[in-house]
Amino acid sequence: MATGTDQVVGLGLVAVSLIIFTYYTAWVILLPFIDSQHVIHKYFLPRAYAIAIPLAAGLLLLLFVGMFITYVVLKNQKVTKKSQ
């Protein structure tokens, strides 16, 4: 069973994810249909970032996953050589 702290952290992560998803959805799907002179456009980055930010985040994720896998494989090889 999760402790109270775990539940609060989980709720916070879900809330942040929901806010990011809502912002990105409005930015990418709804904003192109709103007049470019409307006030709401000042709350959003230029559209070029709508592709660049998720692309950079995805590449960083792949980098960290690759580094983790490399670390685990190298660590397991060292353990195997010591036991032989």
Side-chain angles (χ1 to χ4, degrees):
M1 192 82 177
T3 64
T5 305
D6 292 339
Q7 290 178 347
V8 170
V9 169
L11 180 63
L13 289 173
V14 169
V16 167
S17 298
L18 183 62
I19 290 169
I20 291 171
F21 175 77
T22 304
Y23 179 85
Y24 188 77
T25 301
W27 183 23
V28 172
I29 296 176
L30 299 177
L31 206 59
F33 296 107
I34 299 174
D35 185 31
S36 62
Q37 302 302 322
H38 197 275
V39 171
I40 198 166
H41 279 274
K42 72 177 183 178
Y43 297 109
F44 294 91
L45 293 171
R47 289 189 191 132
Y49 291 111
I51 301 299
I53 292 173
L55 180 65
L59 289 174
L60 281 173
L61 177 68
L62 285 175
L63 174 71
F64 288 124
V65 168
M67 286 173 42
F68 176 74
I69 290 172
T70 303
Y71 172 75
V72 169
V73 168
L74 291 176
K75 187 175 178 182
N76 285 339
Q77 285 179 353
K78 289 179 184 176
V79 171
T80 309
K81 285 181 183 178
K82 286 182 182 179
S83 64
Q84 288 179 356

